[in-house]
Every structure is written in structure tokens, then in C-alpha cells.
Amino acid sequence: MQLSVQSVIIIILSIIGIHGIIINSAILAVYIRLWRTRNRLGASDPILLSMALTNLLLVCQLLLTYYLSFHTQMDIRILLFLNYVLYVLYNMSLWNIAWLSICYCVKLVTVTHRIFLWVKMWFPSSITKLLIGSAIWSVLVNLPIIWTVQILFLQNGNVTDGSIHYALKVDVPYTVLNLLLSYILPFTLTVICIGLSVTSLLHHVWRIRQNVSQDSSSPQLQALVRAAVTMTLHVVLDLTFLLILLYSFAAPFNVSPVIIILFWVYLISYPSVQSFILIFGNPKLKRSLFR
């Protein structure tokens, strides 16, 4: 019975993971094709391409890590390296969302302050450098994980009953610093920029609704509402991820197998959910994928 439960869990996670691989590979193919045909991409296209590539790598890494961590006996150094790569990819994902939020913000928000005007002029031409810089930052800032995190193997866990058989003992000062620099910082940028963008969008929606010649089915109004919902969903998704990440650091070693399963289901679903949000908020991408 226990083995059949494990089989069901593996099948569920594999279906979610394969779906994430397919959808992110399709998005990646769309933007690579655009790059080859146009010879250049729009302001937000490099960010979307980076998000698709990061999500694709993240799904593959999560499936590999889950299988090796819970269904094989693995060298502790390999286990540490796998966890390090996961932190790097999740960090890159948060930075990608932060850059996309800034890209939306400079397009949608009208502010006359000279700093904002400078960012508005500088940001579009610096996106590629920012993506490369944030990737390097993610690699370097998470590097101390390899020697500051200890893996404790639990006596009551095994690889067949679905319970976790190891736990991560983290260095508290480094973990706090890492959370601030790797996760809280990009999330804060995302919240500020999306807050400004959604406020601006809602102001536009209010102005359109004051125009008696346009009703609630106006394409412009629908596009603005869809953009506001998309940005809000990005914030909710990242906030949920941060809360789960904090719980994983603070959770006791004897975590229920059900919690562990739900934890992995969320982690493997994260890239797919992020891709669905992108498709929902980008009609051009949706048409390119399903034409």
C-alpha cells in the first residue's frame, strides 16, 4: 500500500513537472523564433525569454532533486549542490519578475520626478545587463550555502514511506542575510513597481468608465483590467513562495509526510503557474502559442 501511494505521488509530480517543461519550452521557442526573425527583441521580451528558460531549468532540477533526495541513497555533497542550484534558480526567478515589474512600471506610470525619468530612459537599454548581473548575483550570494548548511539524516525517515529522511540545518545569520538580499529585495521591488502600475491602471480604468461612449466590454478597458489582474497574481504567487520558503527554514525536523508532499507539489507547480500568468497577461504570446 505504501509503495502504491509513493507511485501515485511520483505520477502526480511527474505530470505537473512534464506540463511545466512543455509550456515553458513552448514559450522559449516562441521568443527564440521572434529573436531569429526580427533580429532584435522588444523591451520586455528578453525578460520573458529569461523567465521561460529559468522556469524550464527549475522544473527539471526540481524533478531530479525530488527523485534523488527521497528515492535513492545519495552522497551528501551532491545533495548540497542540488539544493544550492535550486536556491540559485528560485532567486533568478524572483529577479526576473522584479525586472518585468519595473519594465511595466516605466511604461505605465507617469511621474515627472527626475530620478523616475532617468530610470525610464535607462532601463530599456540595460535589461540584458541586468539579467546577466542578477544571474551572477544569484550564483554568488547563494554560494555560501554549500558550507554554511548542514544536512542531518533522520533516523525515523526512509525512502519508501513518503516521509523526509533528511533535514537542512541552516546558519541563522547567513540565512537572514541571504533572505534579505536574495528574496526580500527583489520581492520588495516587485511589490513597489506593481503597486504603482496597478494604481495607474485603475486610474485609467476609472477615466474610461467616466466616458459614457465606452462600456464595460471595451477592448481597452478589458486589456487594462487583465493587466492589473496579471500583476496582482504575480505578487500573490511570489508572496506565497516566500512564506513557504520561510516555513521550510523554520519547520521542525519531524514534519508530516503530507506537508512534505504538498511542499513539493507547490515547488514543482510554481514554474507552470508563473507561465500561465504570463500567458494570461500577454495576448500576443497566447496567440503565438495556440495558433
Side-chain angles (χ1 to χ4, degrees), residues 152-159 161 163-167 253-254:
L152 305 177
F153 289 92
L154 308 181
Q155 297 296 324
N156 61 342
N158 57 69
V159 296
D161 63 0
S163 62
I164 189 168
H165 63 283
Y166 74 91
F253 292 159
N254 56 340

Side-chain angles (χ1 to χ4, degrees), residues 31-97:
Y31 283 104
I32 290 177
R33 185 171 65 247
L34 284 176
W35 190 9
R36 293 180 60 184
T37 55
R38 295 181 184 175
N39 228 356
R40 66 191 299 269
L41 295 173
S44 62
D45 290 346
I47 304 175
L48 297 173
L49 191 152
S50 177
M51 290 176 68
L53 178 59
T54 302
N55 285 336
L56 179 61
L57 295 174
L58 189 52
V59 174
C60 295
Q61 179 68 14
L62 281 165
L63 290 173
L64 178 65
T65 302
Y66 175 80
Y67 180 77
L68 293 179
S69 297
F70 294 100
H71 302 283
T72 63
Q73 295 294 336
M74 187 170 43
D75 186 272
I76 190 171
R77 291 167 295 184
I78 299 176
L79 196 56
L80 277 172
F81 178 75
L82 289 175
N83 280 278
Y84 164 71
V85 174
L86 282 180
Y87 286 128
V88 169
L89 290 173
Y90 272 118
N91 195 188
M92 289 174 60
S93 181
L94 287 174
W95 278 112
N96 286 336
I97 291 294

Side-chain angles (χ1 to χ4, degrees), residues 252-272:
F253 292 159
N254 56 340
V255 180
S256 165
V258 176
I259 299 297
I260 297 299
I261 293 168
L262 292 176
F263 175 77
W264 278 95
V265 167
Y266 176 82
L267 289 183
I268 296 178
S269 301
Y270 176 86
S272 298

Side-chain angles (χ1 to χ4, degrees), residues 43-44 47 51 94-109 115-116 118-124 126-127 130 134 185-197 231 234:
S44 62
I47 304 175
M51 290 176 68
L94 287 174
W95 278 112
N96 286 336
I97 291 294
W99 301 138
L100 186 63
S101 303
I102 295 174
C103 187
Y104 288 153
C105 186
V106 297
K107 285 182 178 179
L108 298 171
V109 179
I115 295 179
F116 184 85
W118 175 79
V119 172
K120 194 168 187 174
M121 294 179 59
W122 169 81
F123 183 79
S126 305
I127 288 176
L130 290 171
S134 59
L185 178 59
F187 179 70
T188 302
L189 288 174
T190 299
V191 170
I192 292 173
C193 292
I194 287 183
L196 291 172
S197 299
M231 294 179 186
H234 277 306

Side-chain angles (χ1 to χ4, degrees), residues 131-282:
L131 289 171
I132 295 173
S134 59
I136 295 173
W137 172 260
S138 300
V139 169
L140 295 179
V141 79
N142 287 287
L143 196 59
I145 287 175
I146 296 176
W147 61 81
T148 59
V149 172
Q150 298 179 33
I151 294 183
L152 305 177
F153 289 92
L154 308 181
Q155 297 296 324
N156 61 342
N158 57 69
V159 296
T160 60
D161 63 0
S163 62
I164 189 168
H165 63 283
Y166 74 91
L168 300 180
K169 183 179 180 182
V170 299
D171 180 76
V172 175
Y174 165 73
T175 301
V176 172
L177 183 63
N178 180 264
L179 284 172
L180 290 173
L181 297 179
S182 302
Y183 301 95
I184 304 299
L185 178 59
F187 179 70
T188 302
L189 288 174
T190 299
V191 170
I192 292 173
C193 292
I194 287 183
L196 291 172
S197 299
V198 170
T199 301
S200 179
L201 287 172
L202 292 178
H203 179 67
H204 285 303
V205 169
W206 180 81
R207 289 178 58 188
I208 290 174
R209 285 188 170 175
Q210 297 306 304
N211 187 347
V212 294
S213 63
Q214 296 190 20
D215 56 24
S216 59
S217 62
S218 165
Q220 184 182 5
L221 181 59
Q222 291 179 351
L224 291 173
V225 171
R226 182 173 57 246
V229 172
T230 301
M231 294 179 186
T232 304
L233 289 174
H234 277 306
V235 172
V236 172
L237 181 65
D238 285 353
L239 177 60
T240 306
F241 168 72
L242 283 178
L243 292 176
I244 290 178
L245 183 68
L246 290 172
Y247 175 80
S248 69
F249 284 136
F253 292 159
N254 56 340
V255 180
S256 165
V258 176
I259 299 297
I260 297 299
I261 293 168
L262 292 176
F263 175 77
W264 278 95
V265 167
Y266 176 82
L267 289 183
I268 296 178
S269 301
Y270 176 86
S272 298
V273 174
Q274 190 179 87
S275 300
F276 272 120
I277 294 173
L278 287 178
I279 295 170
F280 171 77
N282 193 327

